[in-house]
Amino acid sequence: MPGRLRGDARSWYAQGNDVKHVILTHGGVTSPQSHADSCAAAADDALAVLNAGGEALGAAIAAVARLEDDPRFNAGTGSNLRLDGRTIEMDAAVMASDGRFGAVASIERVKNPVLVAAKVLETPHLLLAGVGATAFARRLGFDDHDPVTEGAREKHARALAALGGNGDGDFSSDAARFHALTAKRFWNFDAEPLECDTVGAVVRDAHGRFAAAASTGGSTYMLRGRVGDVPLLGAGIYAGPHGAVAATGIGEEIARRFLARTVYDWLADGVAPARAAQRGVAMFPDVLAIGVLVVGRTGQAVASNRTMASAQLVG
Ligand code: GLY
């Protein structure tokens, strides 16, 4: 039986290897447990794919697409605005245990970046970025979609206020915004993201195939063109014959630690999923919010050092 081994902010699950499928979903580190309803719905969507004969990859993609459609999360509709207050650039990635990988970075004006990433996986490329990624989506019939929400506007105003401005013109030029972001004397906020981060899913199907998928509107304080961990192979997600991993937190910190591939390598070395997840979170200082989903051959785990809405389906 899966069990909760730690408190609200750090949840660990373990499971024997006599299961048909495992689905784990999350709404981003710092997301409140009150958002777990959407994670459960996303897991249900993934299960429907498996029940229809689909593989782990399709299930993980379906789960993340559902989470992208919930404006409470920083992915798809509801994504964070860049510091310019106008631009939304989104990253998404998918990976299967046979090595197939597809990603988009800084894609604009699509409803479900994860579905575009899934199409990149069918091309000879790993990652499409910027206007090329958006043009690729249009070519494949993805409609124009404005992902800006009132919640994103409010969050942007709070981000500017936290940087030292008042959100109504103190950072009216790119240069001022850049200085606000980079000059230490302006960093009068703590290292916490304002709320929510990447959404993600990991899946093991009845045939022992693994997959991971993730999508994000980026971090709270970011320049145009900034790309986080999600589309960087091995940083935000990884999947292979030993399992699948999806991370959430500040992308630069995750990428520096090559988190998803590092946790995966521990699985490959025989480390239990719960232990691998715990070690992954422990790589980060407490001031950095971080979370991981891990599924391996012998079990699965959800670990974070903050609240993180999540759900699991095991059958
Ligand atoms: N983890 C999402 C990002 O930093 O872009």
Side-chain angles (χ1 to χ4, degrees):
M1 288 287 290
R4 176 176 289 248
L5 307 183
R6 299 287 290 268
D8 278 350
R10 299 167 187 250
S11 303
W12 311 93
Y13 298 93
Q15 176 74 36
N17 57 5
D18 57 345
V19 298
K20 278 200 312 188
H21 60 256
V22 176
I23 299 163
L24 301 178
T25 60
H26 75 79
V29 68
T30 72
S31 60
Q33 280 305 319
S34 57
H35 293 11
D37 57 332
S38 201
C39 299
D44 286 341
D45 284 3
L47 182 61
V49 171
L50 297 182
N51 286 341
E55 63 176 282
L57 179 65
I61 292 166
V64 168
R66 166 64 80 109
L67 292 165
E68 286 177 336
D69 290 344
D70 185 333
R72 296 176 297 178
F73 296 129
N74 173 26
T77 303
S79 286
N80 286 348
L81 285 154
R82 304 273 153 166
L83 277 177
D84 69 355
R86 293 185 297 275
T87 310
I88 284 184
E89 296 168 327
M90 301 166 286
D91 301 338
V94 301
M95 186 167 187
S97 48
D98 59 9
R100 286 175 292 158
F101 179 90
V104 290
S106 293
I107 193 168
E108 296 188 54
R109 297 189 69 90
V110 294
K111 184 164 175 279
N112 293 110
V114 74
L115 299 183
V116 186
K119 289 296 181 188
V120 174
L121 176 144
E122 297 173 14
T123 75
H125 306 304
L126 296 176
L127 167 63
L128 294 181
V131 292
T134 307
F136 173 78
R138 295 285 178 266
R139 171 86 184 185
L140 295 182
F142 290 90
D143 290 335
D144 180 68
H145 172 77
D146 182 0
V148 176
T149 61
E150 198 47 45
R153 289 191 209 285
E154 289 166 7
K155 215 161 133 186
H156 174 258
R158 295 204 303 279
L160 288 190
L163 284 167
N166 58 19
D168 62 0
D170 270 6
F171 299 125
S172 54
S173 73
D174 283 347
R177 277 190 286 276
F178 185 79
H179 278 289
L181 187 70
T182 56
K184 293 284 187 213
R185 65 198 171 96
F186 286 115
W187 283 63
N188 60 352
F189 54 92
D190 61 26
E192 295 285 335
L194 289 179
E195 47 189 63
C196 294
D197 186 69
T198 312
V199 301
V202 296
V203 177
R204 173 189 169 174
D205 67 25
H207 302 283
R209 294 171 296 206
F210 295 98
S215 182
T216 186
S219 55
T220 303
Y221 310 100
M222 56 184 173
L223 300 175
R224 288 186 63 194
R226 177 264 187 191
V227 174
D229 58 299
V230 166
L232 306 180
L233 179 51
I237 62 167
Y238 196 81
H242 299 282
V245 180
T248 165
I250 297 296
E252 286 79 357
E253 301 297 335
I254 291 171
R256 281 189 185 103
R257 291 164 178 82
F258 205 35
L259 179 60
R261 177 59 195 252
T262 299
V263 172
Y264 174 82
D265 284 346
W266 291 331
L267 294 177
D269 287 344
V271 176
R275 177 71 184 133
Q278 188 178 12
R279 281 174 64 177
V281 171
M283 289 171 73
F284 294 77
D286 274 351
V287 70
L288 295 173
I290 191 78
V292 289
L293 304 181
V294 180
V295 59
R297 294 193 173 281
T298 59
Q300 72 276 4
V302 179
S304 64
N305 61 9
R306 300 289 191 284
T307 59
M308 182 169 80
S310 63
Q312 72 162 347
L313 273 179
V314 178

